Protein backbone atom coordinates (compact mmCIF):
# COMPACT_ATOMS: atom_id res chain seq x y z
CA UNK A 1 0.00 0.00 0.00
CA UNK A 2 2.58 2.62 1.09
CA UNK A 3 5.41 1.00 -0.83
CA UNK A 4 8.06 1.76 1.82
CA UNK A 5 10.93 -0.75 1.64
CA UNK A 6 14.57 -0.84 2.73
CA UNK A 7 17.07 -0.81 -0.14
CA UNK A 8 20.00 -1.58 2.17
CA UNK A 9 20.41 -3.00 5.69
CA UNK A 10 19.14 -0.83 8.52
CA UNK A 11 17.22 1.46 6.17
CA UNK A 12 20.39 3.39 5.26
CA UNK A 13 18.71 3.67 1.86
CA UNK A 14 15.07 3.05 1.03
CA UNK A 15 12.45 3.23 -1.71
CA UNK A 16 8.88 4.51 -1.72
CA UNK A 17 6.78 2.99 -4.50
CA UNK A 18 3.07 2.90 -3.63
CA UNK A 19 0.89 0.20 -5.18
CA UNK A 20 -2.64 1.62 -5.17
CA UNK A 21 -4.61 -1.46 -6.22
CA UNK A 22 -8.23 -0.42 -5.70
CA UNK A 23 -7.33 2.52 -3.40
CA UNK A 24 -7.31 6.14 -4.54
CA UNK A 25 -5.33 7.49 -1.56
CA UNK A 26 -3.46 6.41 1.56
CA UNK A 27 -1.73 8.11 4.46
CA UNK A 28 0.33 6.65 7.27
CA UNK A 29 3.73 5.99 8.74
CA UNK A 30 6.33 3.25 8.99
CA UNK A 31 8.72 2.90 11.94
CA UNK A 32 12.33 2.24 10.87
CA UNK A 33 15.43 1.66 13.01
CA UNK A 34 16.40 5.33 12.53
CA UNK A 35 13.00 6.99 12.86
CA UNK A 36 9.55 7.47 11.46
CA UNK A 37 8.81 7.60 7.72
CA UNK A 38 5.58 9.45 6.90
CA UNK A 39 3.90 8.81 3.56
CA UNK A 40 0.79 10.24 1.96
CA UNK A 41 -0.27 9.71 -1.62
CA UNK A 42 -3.33 10.09 -3.82
CA UNK A 43 -4.21 8.91 -7.29
CA UNK A 44 -5.06 11.78 -9.66
CA UNK A 45 -5.84 10.98 -13.31
CA UNK A 46 -3.84 7.70 -13.19
CA UNK A 47 -0.86 9.55 -11.68
CA UNK A 48 0.32 9.19 -8.07
CA UNK A 49 0.95 12.42 -6.17
CA UNK A 50 3.38 11.47 -3.40
CA UNK A 51 4.38 13.38 -0.26
CA UNK A 52 6.76 12.00 2.36
CA UNK A 53 8.98 12.86 5.32
CA UNK A 54 12.03 10.71 6.07
CA UNK A 55 14.76 10.93 8.74
CA UNK A 56 17.88 12.71 7.48
CA UNK A 57 19.94 9.53 8.07
CA UNK A 58 18.04 7.79 5.25
CA UNK A 59 18.82 8.28 1.58
CA UNK A 60 15.90 7.81 -0.80
CA UNK A 61 16.58 5.76 -3.94
CA UNK A 62 14.56 6.55 -7.05
Amino acid sequence: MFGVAPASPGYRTMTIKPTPGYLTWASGHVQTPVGLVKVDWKLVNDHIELNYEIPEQIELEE
Side-chain angles (χ1 to χ4, degrees):
M1 175 188 329
F2 296 121
V4 174
S8 64
Y11 273 88
R12 284 189 278 269
T13 58
M14 64 173 284
T15 60
I16 302 175
K17 296 181 181 176
T19 51
Y22 62 88
L23 299 175
T24 58
W25 67 274
S27 180
H29 61 274
V30 176
Q31 183 64 49
T32 73
V34 294
L36 202 59
V37 173
K38 297 178 183 178
V39 177
D40 139 9
W41 63 264
K42 64 181 175 179
L43 192 59
V44 178
N45 298 324
D46 296 326
H47 178 253
I48 294 176
E49 291 183 3
L50 176 67
N51 295 301
Y52 58 86
E53 291 179 34
I54 61 175
E56 43 183 73
Q57 301 95 323
I58 298 176
E59 183 178 329
L60 187 63
E61 288 191 359
E62 297 295 321

